[in-house]
């Protein structure tokens, strides 16, 4: 997860600084730790960002902005059948597994944000 600054050229270093500043701002949100923990990015929840790769910073920013932005649409309500019901459905062809997995991911994110 680390990279030395000596290996970067000036534009890359500016990108890193901009990303680090944005992540530092997003980490101030009260739910930022829960979002980063849910995304398995606990190491970026606090502490110095020196040496963290740009790609890791951008992933953390992506998760935080999508979960915390006020202008984002609310997470959709859960409305799928239970997994056992899906398997018993006559039209089941395996595609529903992706939908069930996405609903489970959204549910676990909601629970993480509520601190459950």
């Amino acid at each position: 997860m680390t990279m030395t600054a000596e290996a970067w050229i000036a534009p890359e270093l500016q990108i890193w600084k901009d990303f680090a500043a944005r992540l530092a701002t997003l980490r101030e949100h009260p739910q930022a730790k829960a979002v980063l923990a849910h995304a398995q990015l606990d190491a970026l929840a606090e502490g110095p960002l020196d040496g963290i790769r740009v790609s890791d910073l951008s992933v953390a920013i992506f998760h935080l902005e999508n979960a915390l932005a006020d202008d984002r649409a609310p997470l959709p309500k859960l409305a799928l059948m239970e997994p056992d019901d899906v398997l018993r459905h006559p039209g089941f062809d395996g595609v529903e597994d992706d939908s069930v997995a996405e609903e489970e991911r959204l549910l676990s994110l909601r629970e993480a944000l509520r601190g459950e």
Side-chain angles (χ1 to χ4, degrees):
M1 243 201 215
T2 61
M3 182 175 171
T4 60
E6 296 82 33
W8 295 349
I9 59 173
E12 291 173 334
L13 189 55
Q14 187 58 52
I15 290 169
W16 184 90
K17 287 178 181 179
D18 292 344
F19 279 21
R22 179 68 179 138
L23 181 56
T25 300
L26 289 167
R27 290 193 312 183
E28 294 174 6
H29 192 284
Q31 293 181 320
K33 285 184 182 179
V35 172
L36 291 172
H38 183 267
Q40 299 177 350
L41 297 168
D42 306 75
L44 300 178
E46 55 191 4
L49 297 174
D50 298 336
I52 302 298
R53 296 180 306 187
V54 171
S55 59
D56 294 325
L57 293 173
S58 66
V59 168
I61 290 168
F62 169 80
H63 285 289
L64 288 169
E65 286 182 342
N66 279 315
L68 304 176
D70 292 331
D71 61 345
R72 301 279 304 178
L75 294 174
K77 300 238 185 256
L78 296 177
L80 285 181
M81 296 184 283
E82 293 296 318
D84 290 344
D85 295 336
V86 172
L87 293 175
R88 287 193 295 268
H89 191 276
F92 178 75
D93 61 3
V95 173
E96 291 86 352
D97 288 337
D98 292 337
S99 296
V100 171
E102 179 64 12
E103 290 294 328
E104 290 295 325
R105 187 190 71 75
L106 291 173
L107 177 60
S108 65
L109 176 58
R110 282 192 194 93
E111 291 168 350
L113 292 174
R114 287 191 299 250
E116 296 176 359

